[in-house]
Amino acid sequence: MLRYIYGRDLHKFPKLARTMFEDRADQFRTRLGWDVFVDDQGQERDRYDRLDPLYVIWENADGGHGGSMRFLPTTGPVMVNDVFGHLTGGNPVSSPMIWECTRFCLSRNAGSNVAAALMLAGGEIMEGFGIRHFVGVFDARMVRIYRAIGSSPEVLGSEGEGRDRISVGLWAFSDEAKARIASRAGISPDMSRMWFDHAFGPAREMELALTA
């Protein structure tokens, strides 16, 4: 199932949180060879994890991590501006209508539907919070994954060649895309919305809170 958890609440899900940070270390340092910090417990965290981000996590049947993404509003510190600002020509991405998505991670034993399920969750966040776009940095290996899921971004800037190419992308989410991605994930739109409402309450109540 999909979980929506703010950083301040991760302690309520100790196994899920631990295995997420362990899988991040496994993916980003062990498999991809990125220069990321891994602590003595084998978990990968960075400074953005201290900013109370919203995590979307696919929880396996055993309570462990199957895949995850991390979201922060671009009105505060975000990686796309702090680290990769040169890819957008030095023009910061900053809007209450744009959130950054980072640390897209899949466990080694993730099912074939998990990547699409995470994208579906991103669409629920957009709809529920009134967000128009996500922005994020991705490498060349993700192009095929996004295309297969049916959620390819608009590329704002890139550098490098071949497998070393990295880009900044901007994602939107339409009703057509939601139906397509839900089908790919094997999750009904009603089930997806139920998981979102379980975390935040009915979307109608959220919209009222945002406009109050």
Side-chain angles (χ1 to χ4, degrees):
M1 68 174 293
L2 287 165
R3 293 274 192 184
Y4 301 81
I5 308 172
Y6 281 102
R8 61 181 177 269
D9 293 324
L10 280 177
H11 69 279
K12 299 176 182 178
F13 305 87
K15 180 176 181 178
L16 193 58
R18 174 180 56 79
T19 52
M20 176 178 70
F21 292 121
E22 289 173 348
D23 282 342
R24 278 176 36 173
D26 178 55
Q27 175 170 309
F28 299 127
R29 189 168 79 170
T30 303
R31 287 186 272 163
L32 297 178
W34 291 6
D35 182 18
V36 296
F37 173 76
V38 176
D39 65 21
D40 57 7
Q41 296 180 320
Q43 300 179 20
E44 187 275 321
R45 290 180 173 84
D46 65 14
R47 61 190 173 109
Y48 300 98
D49 291 303
R50 298 194 293 267
L51 300 179
D52 195 29
L54 175 60
Y55 298 92
V56 169
I57 308 173
W58 179 264
E59 182 180 9
N60 292 328
D62 66 356
H65 170 265
S68 56
M69 299 189 295
R70 179 181 68 187
F71 296 89
L72 281 167
T74 59
T75 50
V78 287
M79 191 177 294
V80 70
N81 293 331
D82 300 343
V83 181
F84 297 100
H86 60 288
L87 296 183
T88 58
N91 299 311
V93 178
S94 179
S95 168
M97 298 292 101
I98 304 175
W99 282 16
E100 181 184 62
C101 174
T102 54
R103 288 305 194 256
F104 184 96
C105 176
L106 298 175
S107 71
R108 287 180 184 260
N109 62 353
S112 60
N113 69 316
V114 174
L118 294 174
M119 290 293 184
L120 183 61
E124 297 290 3
I125 291 173
M126 276 191 175
E127 184 176 342
F129 284 90
I131 299 165
R132 294 180 182 173
H133 295 94
F134 290 137
V135 66
V137 178
F138 61 95
D139 59 26
R141 72 188 174 88
M142 293 301 299
V143 173
R144 177 183 58 82
I145 295 174
Y146 295 145
R147 188 179 298 121
I149 295 170
S151 182
S152 296
E154 173 190 351
V155 176
L156 303 182
S158 302
E159 69 176 5
E161 299 296 334
R163 296 179 63 182
D164 296 325
R165 188 172 182 83
I166 60 171
S167 305
V168 172
L170 194 69
W171 282 262
F173 202 80
S174 65
D175 290 340
E176 293 79 10
K178 182 176 182 178
R180 185 170 60 250
I181 295 169
S183 176
R184 177 75 179 181
I187 299 169
S188 73
D190 287 344
M191 177 65 75
S192 176
R193 175 51 55 168
M194 184 187 74
W195 286 335
F196 183 86
D197 287 347
H198 178 73
F200 299 111
R204 185 167 60 109
E205 293 180 9
M206 180 174 294
E207 291 170 358
L208 291 173
L210 288 170
T211 58

